[in-house]
Amino acid sequence: MKERITLHDKSFKPYMTYEQVIAAIDRLAEKINNDFRDCKEPPVIVCVLNGAMMFTSELMQRLDFDCELVSIKLSSYSGTDSTGAIRIDMNLTKDIAGRDVIVCEDIVDTGNTILYLSNLMKEQGANSVKICCMLLKPEMYSKDVKLDYVAKEIPNDFIVGFGLDYNELGRNYKDIYVIE
Ligand code: IMP
Ligand code: MG
């Protein structure tokens, strides 16, 4: 892990190591395996690009039941603030009507994105929708959507790495860094 990284105009210091992230994902995968191991129809994992790419990849490698992967690309953040306005940059890569869906998101902050996704999956005719996120900022979360699987709760700080970006930079770091 680096002592400090600089992205655009901001610097970031170490927050969570890759090993800590993986330990949290291991625990989460075990819960999901317990819930889905005996499922009759393979569920669809919906990876919310770009942020959840690394998380979804690590999580899926630990799932021991048949599942499909579908992606969608949304954007809402500008700089270090949630804009509230959500845009679909790329729609669902496959129809999810009638399917059991597990939405995989990198981080839940205000919950705007997850509320939007939850409604979208229902509109698209999903049979059931579970929400799975790597990180949650509970101080900020104010929506009624149930967060079925959360790998780790964190304080309300802006972080980057392991898929998370600051204006598109920082996603490639395997460890997680927090803004200084
Ligand atoms: P929400 O809609 O306010 O819950 O924000 C969720 C989205 O904002 C996530 O999908 C992330 O892309 C982004 N986001 C929230 N917090 C952070 C952060 O600390 N670092 C980087 N991106 C974040
Ligand atoms: Mg995201």
Side-chain angles (χ1 to χ4, degrees), residues 48-52 74-77 104-107 113 117 163-165 171:
V48 185
L49 299 173
N50 290 320
L74 300 183
S75 47
S76 69
Y77 249 62
C104 286
E105 189 36 329
D106 51 359
I107 185 164
T113 309
L117 281 164
L164 292 152
D165 71 304
R171 297 193 197 276

Side-chain angles (χ1 to χ4, degrees), residues 50-117:
N50 290 320
M53 178 190 67
M54 291 209 196
F55 169 54
T56 307
S57 160
E58 295 287 356
L59 181 69
M60 277 190 82
Q61 292 172 58
R62 291 163 175 79
L63 299 181
D64 59 15
F65 51 88
D66 286 343
C67 53
E68 283 185 42
L69 176 64
V70 166
S71 300
I72 187 169
K73 185 169 186 298
L74 300 183
S75 47
S76 69
Y77 249 62
S78 170
T80 60
D81 295 305
S82 183
T83 61
I86 296 159
R87 217 177 47 218
I88 298 188
D89 290 339
M90 182 192 81
N91 218 324
L92 289 165
T93 52
K94 193 183 167 191
D95 184 15
I96 51 119
R99 305 298 299 273
D100 297 309
V101 169
I102 305 172
V103 176
C104 286
E105 189 36 329
D106 51 359
I107 185 164
V108 175
D109 184 355
T110 62
N112 283 327
T113 309
I114 222 65
L115 175 63
Y116 179 88
L117 281 164

